[in-house]
Amino acid sequence: MRGIRYTLLGDGSSDRILNGPIQWAIRRLGCSIEIANWADFGYLKHPPRSLADKLELAIELYPGDVYFIHRDAEGFGIENRVAEIREAIDSLVYSVPIVPVSMSEAW
């Protein structure tokens, strides 16, 4: 039986650190990980701007079984961010929204 293939789509490069907790959670469920992708668009001359466009490109470039989509609440509220993620997904893929109320970066 193969392991889970997942892709993390974040707001920025510092969100890559979420791979650790994601992998921990997957393993706690008794699952193995076959592929852990980070949807990196930093190398593109014209990276996508909207969440829907980012997700569409992530599906094309980083195929997976599940997509973890990170968006900081940033004053919009968790409900609004989860709704934004759900709207962008539009039933295209299995996904898990990650919306911290406080910033995950520690400066």
Side-chain angles (χ1 to χ4, degrees):
M1 183 172 175
R2 74 173 176 81
I4 291 174
R5 299 174 303 148
Y6 80 84
T7 298
L8 170 60
L9 175 60
D11 284 332
S13 61
S14 62
D15 296 337
R16 188 177 207 160
I17 197 161
L18 293 170
N19 272 314
I22 289 169
Q23 291 176 13
W24 175 85
I26 290 171
R27 289 187 178 112
R28 287 276 300 172
L29 292 171
C31 300
S32 64
I33 299 167
E34 182 178 331
I35 298 173
N37 285 315
W38 161 251
D40 181 12
F41 305 125
Y43 66 92
L44 297 174
K45 187 174 182 177
H46 301 288
R49 294 212 180 265
S50 74
L51 182 57
D53 289 344
K54 288 177 183 179
L55 181 59
E56 186 177 324
L57 189 57
I59 292 168
E60 180 182 330
L61 298 177
Y62 306 100
D65 301 314
V66 63
Y67 290 77
F68 291 88
I69 303 170
H70 173 265
R71 298 283 290 147
D72 286 319
E74 295 177 335
F76 291 99
I78 190 167
E79 296 85 10
N80 291 331
R81 286 300 197 191
V82 170
E84 175 190 24
I85 291 168
R86 294 285 181 225
E87 184 179 317
I89 293 165
D90 193 32
S91 302
L92 295 174
V93 294
Y94 290 106
S95 66
V96 177
I98 301 173
V99 184
V101 176
S102 298
M103 297 292 277
S104 57
E105 295 87 357
W107 301 107

